Amino acid sequence: MSKKEIVPPIAERIPKEMEIHGDIRVDDYYWLNERENPKVIDYLNAENDYYEHKTAHTKQFQEDLFEEMKARIKEDDESVPYKKNGYYYITKYETGKQYPVYTRKKASLDAEESIMIDVNELAKGHDYYALTGLNVNQLNTVAAFGVDTVSRRQYDIQFKNLETNEIYPEIIKNTTGSTAWANDNKTVFYSRKDPVTLRSDKIFKHVLGTDVSEDELIFEENDEAFWTFAYKSKSKRFIIIGSYSTLSTEYMYLDANDPNGKFKIVQPREKDLEYSMAHYGEDFYILTNMDNALNFKLMKTPIGETLKENWVEVIPHREDTLLEDISIFKEFLILEERNNGLNKIRIKKWDGSDDYYLPFDEETYSASVYNNPEFDTNVIRYSYNSLTTPNSVIDFNVDDRSKEVKKEQEVLGGTFDKEDYQSERIWATTRDGKRVAISLVYHKKTKINEKTPLLLYAYGSYGSIVSDRFSSVRLSLLDRGFVYAIAHVRGGEYLGRKWYDDGKMFHKMNTFYDFIDAAKHLINHKYSSADHLYAEGGSAGGLLVGAVINLNPELFNGIIAAVPFVDVVTTMLDESIPLTTGEFDEWGNPKNKESYEYMLSYSPYDNVQKHDYPHMLVTTGLHDSQVQYFEPAKWVAKLRLNKTGNKQLLMYTNMESGHGGASGRFDALKEVTRDYCFLFDLEGISE
């Protein structure tokens, strides 16, 4: 068949009427949600075949790009060791292998290394394999871990004896994969998921060596808007059960030495009261938004007197600074803050002798405290990187303020020099007078003008912040003359909690308008033009780009929508779909007429029109548990029927994976090459 004869697959139209609030919607493609229906699989395969035909001329380029990206990655690599409970833990990657090897050394880095788990061995025979929640008991003898071989984030918990290398026969099905060990070294607490909605709604207790069917139900979360989880305090003194929804949280605690005891509640849940907790000495430290502390403040309360009327202020609320997280150590407290969009790491000695910020020099960057399991230490570990600076792992001595770079991400291939790249942060004024930050990175040889190809990325939901992070993969884009840009739109917390509140529920349109106004700013200031401007978003970011091209399709030459959440109203009306009930505080509940009408006004699927849409690449995974495959499939089918003009509309479904894409470190690169070659092809770049 010649290329001219290739026609896109046309999905059958089977009208389904859906009525609520006196309004009737007709969905011609509702039938595509029947995952087991052979006609559905045939349609997805037909779309994949069409994609393969239309992109056949880029296949060699995709392979070359894959090798180029892979060549920058140090295949034989290992993490910086971290110490926990007398052992140094190391994660290794070996040449040619997709998955990590988890190892450890006792007491000293000079000690003999022992392999805890080689994921490459466990993954044999599986198209998809994800291991999570590796967690060793206090005796250092048994490791618990979660395994998902389908990509629906339903993990089976297993146990391995690290002395005999025996994997125990007991398997706990359908969990989050996380565990909390009691101090008896044989009891674990874990959360199990509802098999239909995948909401983690139950906490169980399992004793090693007993039948899983005998596991005791400790707590059940009956409110469908809440999810529950269990963990152990850093001090190792408490097992903690948490429940959370978008706007409310609740915690309970239990002495870890008494796994058969009764959990005590910290502060009963209240609407709009959020808090999290950490233990130190005879107090709990509470990070909370109590009393309209929109950007959060830090309180403390004695163990045993934990109701909110007992909370005493430690760090007050600040209008201009978001308090994101805390880390507690024996001699000091670490505060992770955000001011004017930038991370700040603050160190505060308990005795009051010191209170200072780590110095960061770049205009835009990303820094975070991580992997600090030891409580009694004067060294903190943090990571630092920027759009031009590879990630570094740094140990900082809080006493003498010295720092040691333990590792900087290596970019192999011999051609990378961070001095060849330029990053900057500009601000676009929106239609309602707000200022949206846009982070940019490009090769210094790239001429910035209306002919410059520019890829604009955003997310804009759940308060999630898109960090200005380095990517060795992205170099393939920058080295070919692209500018990469991140629009820090409302719906994230880049400029504090109010920035999030102003981009959700009945303010959701602000997210889309911010992105459109950022795009117009880039065009007006000649960073690019509509002929060379591209948009990319995934999941809720896919909703963003889907809404934007209904509003202003003329601004973009092409878009990439990855696992896009595009059928907002239908999904939020179906409480059997994973995530739905927990998201009413983010999007609204369409059973409420006002919410229904507002959501319907921007839902990408419901607002498809007779537009000359940009070139489009839509990707999804058949087993996606967060945005079900049928949302993008229905969207593409409806777009095929309505789009005018002759621009490309391509969809690719990974028939093996879910929301996070491929599980292997190299397989994931192939997904990026697919996206990049789509852009390069539109720009006439073929090598």
Side-chain angles (χ1 to χ4, degrees), residues 278-296:
H279 166 243
Y280 175 66
E282 295 307 311
D283 296 301
F284 287 128
Y285 280 74
I286 311 285
L287 186 62
T288 181
N289 68 345
M290 187 176 77
D291 298 330
N292 298 313
L294 199 61
N295 282 329
F296 288 77

mmCIF file of all heavy atoms in Angstrom, residues 278-296:
data_model
loop_
_atom_site.group_PDB
_atom_site.id
_atom_site.type_symbol
_atom_site.label_atom_id
_atom_site.label_comp_id
_atom_site.label_asym_id
_atom_site.label_seq_id
_atom_site.Cartn_x
_atom_site.Cartn_y
_atom_site.Cartn_z
ATOM 1 N N ALA A 278 5.563 14.840 62.334
ATOM 2 C CA ALA A 278 6.855 14.183 62.538
ATOM 3 C C ALA A 278 7.111 14.141 64.037
ATOM 4 O O ALA A 278 6.609 14.988 64.792
ATOM 5 C CB ALA A 278 7.958 14.941 61.819
ATOM 6 N N HIS A 279 7.914 13.163 64.465
ATOM 7 C CA HIS A 279 8.157 12.991 65.904
ATOM 8 C C HIS A 279 9.558 13.455 66.277
ATOM 9 O O HIS A 279 10.531 13.196 65.567
ATOM 10 C CB HIS A 279 7.978 11.518 66.289
ATOM 11 C CG HIS A 279 8.516 11.200 67.654
ATOM 12 N ND1 HIS A 279 9.559 10.312 67.855
ATOM 13 C CD2 HIS A 279 8.176 11.693 68.874
ATOM 14 C CE1 HIS A 279 9.823 10.262 69.145
ATOM 15 N NE2 HIS A 279 9.005 11.078 69.774
ATOM 16 N N TYR A 280 9.650 14.148 67.440
ATOM 17 C CA TYR A 280 10.944 14.521 68.001
ATOM 18 C C TYR A 280 10.808 14.641 69.518
ATOM 19 O O TYR A 280 9.981 15.414 70.009
ATOM 20 C CB TYR A 280 11.441 15.842 67.418
ATOM 21 C CG TYR A 280 12.728 16.346 68.038
ATOM 22 C CD1 TYR A 280 13.915 15.635 67.870
ATOM 23 C CD2 TYR A 280 12.757 17.520 68.786
ATOM 24 C CE1 TYR A 280 15.098 16.091 68.433
ATOM 25 C CE2 TYR A 280 13.933 17.982 69.348
ATOM 26 C CZ TYR A 280 15.105 17.262 69.180
ATOM 27 O OH TYR A 280 16.278 17.703 69.737
ATOM 28 N N GLY A 281 11.609 13.880 70.242
ATOM 29 C CA GLY A 281 11.572 13.932 71.709
ATOM 30 C C GLY A 281 10.213 13.537 72.242
ATOM 31 O O GLY A 281 9.700 12.463 71.934
ATOM 32 N N GLU A 282 9.615 14.420 73.024
ATOM 33 C CA GLU A 282 8.302 14.148 73.606
ATOM 34 C C GLU A 282 7.188 14.931 72.913
ATOM 35 O O GLU A 282 6.121 15.151 73.484
ATOM 36 C CB GLU A 282 8.325 14.473 75.112
ATOM 37 C CG GLU A 282 9.248 13.578 75.914
ATOM 38 C CD GLU A 282 8.963 12.091 75.682
ATOM 39 O OE1 GLU A 282 7.778 11.691 75.758
ATOM 40 O OE2 GLU A 282 9.922 11.338 75.424
ATOM 41 N N ASP A 283 7.489 15.364 71.666
ATOM 42 C CA ASP A 283 6.516 16.162 70.920
ATOM 43 C C ASP A 283 6.301 15.613 69.518
ATOM 44 O O ASP A 283 7.163 14.931 68.960
ATOM 45 C CB ASP A 283 6.999 17.614 70.793
ATOM 46 C CG ASP A 283 7.110 18.321 72.128
ATOM 47 O OD1 ASP A 283 6.090 18.416 72.826
ATOM 48 O OD2 ASP A 283 8.225 18.757 72.477
ATOM 49 N N PHE A 284 5.148 15.946 68.965
ATOM 50 C CA PHE A 284 4.916 15.817 67.536
ATOM 51 C C PHE A 284 5.014 17.217 66.926
ATOM 52 O O PHE A 284 4.486 18.189 67.485
ATOM 53 C CB PHE A 284 3.529 15.241 67.235
ATOM 54 C CG PHE A 284 3.396 13.778 67.545
ATOM 55 C CD1 PHE A 284 2.350 13.317 68.341
ATOM 56 C CD2 PHE A 284 4.297 12.856 67.036
ATOM 57 C CE1 PHE A 284 2.213 11.963 68.622
ATOM 58 C CE2 PHE A 284 4.173 11.500 67.316
ATOM 59 C CZ PHE A 284 3.139 11.057 68.117
ATOM 60 N N TYR A 285 5.673 17.304 65.784
ATOM 61 C CA TYR A 285 5.748 18.557 65.041
ATOM 62 C C TYR A 285 4.741 18.493 63.902
ATOM 63 O O TYR A 285 4.701 17.506 63.164
ATOM 64 C CB TYR A 285 7.174 18.799 64.540
ATOM 65 C CG TYR A 285 8.054 19.345 65.640
ATOM 66 C CD1 TYR A 285 8.502 18.527 66.669
ATOM 67 C CD2 TYR A 285 8.394 20.696 65.684
ATOM 68 C CE1 TYR A 285 9.271 19.030 67.713
ATOM 69 C CE2 TYR A 285 9.171 21.217 66.711
ATOM 70 C CZ TYR A 285 9.606 20.376 67.722
ATOM 71 O OH TYR A 285 10.363 20.880 68.747
ATOM 72 N N ILE A 286 3.927 19.525 63.784
ATOM 73 C CA ILE A 286 2.766 19.527 62.901
ATOM 74 C C ILE A 286 2.916 20.623 61.851
ATOM 75 O O ILE A 286 2.961 21.807 62.189
ATOM 76 C CB ILE A 286 1.461 19.770 63.695
ATOM 77 C CG1 ILE A 286 1.369 18.855 64.924
ATOM 78 C CG2 ILE A 286 0.250 19.639 62.784
ATOM 79 C CD1 ILE A 286 1.045 17.423 64.652
ATOM 80 N N LEU A 287 2.981 20.223 60.586
ATOM 81 C CA LEU A 287 2.972 21.166 59.461
ATOM 82 C C LEU A 287 1.516 21.329 59.032
ATOM 83 O O LEU A 287 0.871 20.346 58.652
ATOM 84 C CB LEU A 287 3.822 20.611 58.323
ATOM 85 C CG LEU A 287 4.069 21.487 57.096
ATOM 86 C CD1 LEU A 287 4.824 22.749 57.471
ATOM 87 C CD2 LEU A 287 4.847 20.708 56.041
ATOM 88 N N THR A 288 0.977 22.550 59.123
ATOM 89 C CA THR A 288 -0.474 22.686 58.967
ATOM 90 C C THR A 288 -0.882 24.035 58.363
ATOM 91 O O THR A 288 -0.138 25.013 58.414
ATOM 92 C CB THR A 288 -1.169 22.536 60.343
ATOM 93 O OG1 THR A 288 -2.586 22.653 60.180
ATOM 94 C CG2 THR A 288 -0.699 23.602 61.329
ATOM 95 N N ASN A 289 -2.102 24.054 57.820
ATOM 96 C CA ASN A 289 -2.706 25.294 57.313
ATOM 97 C C ASN A 289 -3.764 25.833 58.275
ATOM 98 O O ASN A 289 -4.593 26.659 57.896
ATOM 99 C CB ASN A 289 -3.323 25.057 55.931
ATOM 100 C CG ASN A 289 -4.548 24.132 55.990
ATOM 101 O OD1 ASN A 289 -4.776 23.443 56.995
ATOM 102 N ND2 ASN A 289 -5.324 24.088 54.927
ATOM 103 N N MET A 290 -3.721 25.388 59.530
ATOM 104 C CA MET A 290 -4.717 25.792 60.528
ATOM 105 C C MET A 290 -4.798 27.321 60.649
ATOM 106 O O MET A 290 -3.782 28.014 60.532
ATOM 107 C CB MET A 290 -4.360 25.184 61.887
ATOM 108 C CG MET A 290 -5.409 25.407 62.965
ATOM 109 S SD MET A 290 -5.017 24.570 64.515
ATOM 110 C CE MET A 290 -3.768 25.655 65.196
ATOM 111 N N ASP A 291 -5.980 27.826 60.902
ATOM 112 C CA ASP A 291 -6.223 29.265 61.087
ATOM 113 C C ASP A 291 -5.815 30.062 59.854
ATOM 114 O O ASP A 291 -5.131 31.097 59.948
ATOM 115 C CB ASP A 291 -5.483 29.793 62.325
ATOM 116 C CG ASP A 291 -5.962 29.129 63.617
ATOM 117 O OD1 ASP A 291 -7.138 28.736 63.669
ATOM 118 O OD2 ASP A 291 -5.143 28.994 64.542
ATOM 119 N N ASN A 292 -6.228 29.556 58.695
ATOM 120 C CA ASN A 292 -6.006 30.267 57.423
ATOM 121 C C ASN A 292 -4.534 30.478 57.097
ATOM 122 O O ASN A 292 -4.175 31.463 56.439
ATOM 123 C CB ASN A 292 -6.731 31.613 57.432
ATOM 124 C CG ASN A 292 -8.235 31.456 57.577
ATOM 125 O OD1 ASN A 292 -8.855 30.647 56.886
ATOM 126 N ND2 ASN A 292 -8.830 32.202 58.506
ATOM 127 N N ALA A 293 -3.684 29.576 57.555
ATOM 128 C CA ALA A 293 -2.259 29.644 57.205
ATOM 129 C C ALA A 293 -2.098 29.043 55.804
ATOM 130 O O ALA A 293 -1.684 27.894 55.637
ATOM 131 C CB ALA A 293 -1.422 28.891 58.225
ATOM 132 N N LEU A 294 -2.451 29.827 54.807
ATOM 133 C CA LEU A 294 -2.539 29.331 53.432
ATOM 134 C C LEU A 294 -1.234 28.690 52.972
ATOM 135 O O LEU A 294 -1.235 27.658 52.296
ATOM 136 C CB LEU A 294 -2.923 30.493 52.503
ATOM 137 C CG LEU A 294 -3.491 30.123 51.138
ATOM 138 C CD1 LEU A 294 -4.777 29.332 51.273
ATOM 139 C CD2 LEU A 294 -3.728 31.381 50.303
ATOM 140 N N ASN A 295 -0.101 29.294 53.328
ATOM 141 C CA ASN A 295 1.213 28.766 52.933
ATOM 142 C C ASN A 295 1.831 27.855 53.987
ATOM 143 O O ASN A 295 3.017 27.554 53.924
ATOM 144 C CB ASN A 295 2.169 29.920 52.623
ATOM 145 C CG ASN A 295 1.911 30.510 51.253
ATOM 146 O OD1 ASN A 295 1.493 29.808 50.333
ATOM 147 N ND2 ASN A 295 2.139 31.804 51.104
ATOM 148 N N PHE A 296 1.034 27.467 54.973
ATOM 149 C CA PHE A 296 1.410 26.521 56.013
ATOM 150 C C PHE A 296 2.374 27.123 57.046
ATOM 151 O O PHE A 296 3.140 28.035 56.757
ATOM 152 C CB PHE A 296 1.978 25.226 55.426
ATOM 153 C CG PHE A 296 0.924 24.375 54.775
ATOM 154 C CD1 PHE A 296 0.422 24.702 53.519
ATOM 155 C CD2 PHE A 296 0.392 23.276 55.420
ATOM 156 C CE1 PHE A 296 -0.578 23.945 52.918
ATOM 157 C CE2 PHE A 296 -0.607 22.509 54.829
ATOM 158 C CZ PHE A 296 -1.093 22.847 53.578
#
